[in-house]
Amino acid sequence: MKCQKCGTELHEDQKVCIACGTRTIRGDNYSFGDKEPWRPTKNHIIGAASVLVLLIVLLIINAMRADPPKVVAEEWFNAMTQRKVKDARKLSTPDLEENLQSHGMDLMAISEEYYSDITSNGGSVKVSEPKPAGSKSTLSVDVSVSYNNGEPARQYNLEMVKVGKNWRMNKIL
Ligand SMILES: [Zn+2]
């Protein structure tokens, strides 16, 4: 086989002329190794867009879903036992603080008490499954605090109310 441009004698399988670099008949479909830059196809774009839409929908559903009351009660206690009063406040109604104040207490003082019982002394908290308490938007939840040797330390009964779609700690009964 001869090069079509310069006439150099080439091997039958030669894809490029060794003398002038012109492609031979064999080399017509030959890529020189520098690949085409990757470009997303229409399917790639549709696929990526679908995944994105699905993610957004899941995020919205997740944001709209209210936590079950037991989870709220557990989170409230966890925040309280770690003296994270700000976090606890987000999970309670303003009524809770008024209720506490009328008993000469406040969230901070109770949080200190829980902190000393549980976080400092290795005690544990057990939150019961909240039970209906009179109305559809009221629940009662029992919380027991145990010392690190397993002996019961304190027992609390709290009222939870539904505020919008969320359950919130409302009162220490
Ligand atoms: Zn040539």
Side-chain angles (χ1 to χ4, degrees):
M1 170 171 84
K2 277 185 178 164
C3 172
Q4 289 172 301
K5 196 180 175 191
C6 71
T8 304
E9 190 61 43
L10 299 169
H11 190 270
E12 284 304 310
D13 291 335
Q14 207 81 42
K15 293 184 171 74
V16 184
C17 170
I18 46 167
C20 71
T22 305
R23 287 186 199 204
T24 66
I25 304 155
R26 288 271 178 173
D28 271 352
N29 302 313
Y30 178 70
S31 150
F32 284 87
D34 46 1
K35 284 183 188 164
E36 288 267 313
W38 185 84
R39 282 207 189 97
T41 65
K42 207 173 165 190
N43 280 346
H44 280 133
I45 293 164
I46 291 170
S50 308
V51 169
L52 194 65
V53 167
L54 187 67
L55 272 176
I56 291 169
V57 167
L58 286 175
L59 279 174
I60 291 170
I61 289 172
N62 198 42
M64 277 165 49
R65 199 191 57 197
D67 283 329
K70 192 181 177 184
V71 172
V72 174
E74 282 170 346
E75 279 179 6
W76 184 81
F77 257 88
N78 282 338
M80 290 291 280
T81 58
Q82 292 165 54
R83 297 193 288 197
K84 291 179 180 167
V85 176
K86 263 190 196 167
D87 292 345
R89 197 167 276 140
K90 286 179 200 158
L91 299 169
S92 32
T93 64
D95 284 1
L96 177 74
E97 295 200 61
E98 273 178 41
N99 170 250
L100 291 173
Q101 269 154 23
S102 72
H103 290 92
M105 300 195 82
D106 60 38
L107 272 186
M108 192 67 93
I110 295 185
S111 180
E112 286 295 334
E113 197 176 283
Y114 292 165
Y115 179 82
S116 123
D117 279 355
I118 294 147
T119 308
S120 296
N121 297 317
S124 59
V125 180
K126 215 174 149 193
V127 176
S128 77
E129 195 57 54
K131 290 183 285 283
S135 81
K136 247 174 83 179
S137 57
T138 320
L139 291 171
S140 149
V141 60
D142 292 316
V143 179
S144 45
V145 174
S146 306
Y147 292 123
N148 58 356
N149 61 8
E151 271 181 48
R154 294 166 213 268
Q155 188 92 27
Y156 303 96
N157 183 228
L158 291 107
E159 184 190 79
M160 299 182 78
V161 289
K162 207 167 191 181
V163 180
K165 60 185 171 59
N166 297 308
W167 287 98
R168 292 291 176 253
M169 311 310 283
N170 189 50
K171 208 186 274 183
I172 295 187
L173 301 165

